[in-house]
Amino acid sequence: MIDLRIVQDSGFMSSITLAFHAERLHEQRVWNKVKRVAGWMAEHNMKATFFVYPFPAAVAGKGISERVQWLGSLGHEIAQHTHFYAGTKIVKHEKRDDLSKANVMHCLRRDFETLKGFGFRPKGFTAGSWFVNNVVLDALVELGFVYDCSAQFPRLKTSGPVPNNNRWLRAPQYYSNSHGRILCLPTTCSLGEWFKWGRKLRHESDQFYQIVYLHDYDLLSLKRSLLLFGFVRMINGSALEQSVSISERCLF
């Protein structure tokens, strides 16, 4: 566990990250929305973190290398997002998880090498469906990741059973093995949850940063797009910080 007193004294309290889980950049309607928002943010000196899941584009036979490179050229962080599905059956009505060690390792390395091929060696990771266990973390250490955002900050109210491989953390923690370590930075909440309860945490808890996420395809919804622009206005866009910057301060 990181000593909160040290981080709070460093001016960390105002840090907030907007994290896009980018799964459908190959779809033109989604890309049009992402391009508009990412460009607008860059024009106003606001940087986000894009956790890119490149496999759906490969399954669809479409290239997104230039799109990801364009996002990176604007100064947005390119990180990795991976779901652990079985084979190429990844669409909603037929997808099936394969959480075996062999498939977890395969999916992580596959997407990692794809992003490297795009010109980005990702430092950060977020797992699809928030699935995280020691196999995932060991693989991330082996691949040289700096931080992982697959753990979640405890919600005020959690309904229904909690999956066995979901982790809940109130503060960053290191995970270490014989090969190294990785910083586990819990994701705070979704954009919608931030308006319901997450924004109160900035003043009512010991959490010294926030990572607020949404999916790239959420931008197809007018309601969620309006929430995004309302969020940026409420926090003052200058407070936005890439998650890699938060991790580097913690590591320092």
Side-chain angles (χ1 to χ4, degrees):
M1 186 81 70
I2 292 177
D3 191 331
L4 296 183
R5 294 168 298 177
I6 296 175
V7 187
Q8 288 171 344
D9 290 343
S10 71
F12 230 172
M13 293 296 291
S14 62
S15 298
I16 189 164
T17 291
L18 183 62
F20 289 87
H21 293 187
E23 303 181 355
R24 288 161 53 178
L25 295 179
H26 60 288
E27 297 182 13
Q28 193 60 44
R29 289 177 64 233
V30 174
W31 173 245
N32 289 342
K33 295 290 186 179
V34 169
K35 186 176 181 180
R36 178 186 174 193
V37 169
W40 177 82
M41 291 182 66
E43 288 175 2
H44 292 80
N45 198 32
M46 292 182 284
K47 302 299 188 291
T49 296
F50 284 84
F51 289 91
V52 178
Y53 181 30
F55 190 55
V59 172
K62 297 183 179 180
I64 58 171
S65 176
E66 292 184 0
R67 295 179 177 185
V68 175
Q69 289 168 358
W70 183 80
L71 292 172
S73 73
L74 297 180
H76 299 302
E77 179 190 359
I78 304 301
Q80 181 175 328
H81 183 52
T82 294
H83 282 266
F84 305 114
Y85 296 135
T88 58
K89 294 183 177 181
I90 63 174
V91 296
K92 191 169 185 179
H93 66 279
E94 62 180 15
K95 64 185 179 182
R96 180 173 60 85
D97 289 331
D98 178 355
L99 304 179
S100 66
K101 180 177 180 179
N103 190 60
V104 167
M105 298 289 290
H106 166 73
C107 293
L108 285 172
R109 289 172 177 164
R110 176 200 65 208
D111 294 345
F112 180 75
E113 292 300 327
T114 299
L115 292 175
K116 280 180 60 180
F118 291 170
F120 301 94
R121 186 184 181 92
K123 294 182 178 180
F125 178 78
T126 299
S129 302
W130 311 106
F131 175 84
V132 59
N133 59 15
N134 288 359
V135 171
V136 174
L137 294 174
D138 285 338
L140 295 178
V141 170
E142 177 185 328
L143 291 170
F145 280 85
V146 175
Y147 70 93
D148 169 60
C149 296
S150 303
Q152 300 170 81
F153 188 85
R155 295 179 175 87
L156 297 183
K157 294 181 180 179
T158 302
S159 59
V162 177
N164 291 333
N165 290 296
N166 284 32
R167 290 191 176 184
W168 306 89
L169 296 177
R170 296 191 64 87
Q173 289 183 358
Y174 292 118
Y175 173 83
S176 301
N177 61 24
S178 59
H179 300 287
R181 68 178 184 176
I182 188 169
L183 180 65
C184 299
L185 284 175
T187 295
T188 308
C189 61
S190 69
L191 181 61
E193 290 171 329
W194 189 84
F195 280 93
K196 293 177 181 179
W197 54 266
R199 57 180 172 172
K200 298 178 182 178
L201 295 178
R202 299 189 76 194
H203 309 289
E204 298 177 3
S205 79
D206 292 331
Q207 192 183 29
F208 50 83
Y209 75 93
Q210 291 190 318
I211 297 176
V212 179
Y213 80 95
L214 72 161
H215 292 89
D216 53 357
Y217 53 80
D218 287 337
L219 297 176
L220 296 176
S221 163
L222 176 60
K223 177 182 177 180
R224 289 187 174 90
S225 294
L226 292 175
L227 284 178
L228 173 59
F229 286 103
F231 167 79
V232 171
R233 290 186 63 182
M234 289 180 68
I235 65 166
N236 184 356
S238 62
L240 284 176
E241 184 174 5
Q242 296 171 338
S243 49
V244 67
S245 298
I246 295 175
S247 70
E248 287 171 350
R249 289 200 215 171
C250 288
L251 291 168
F252 175 76

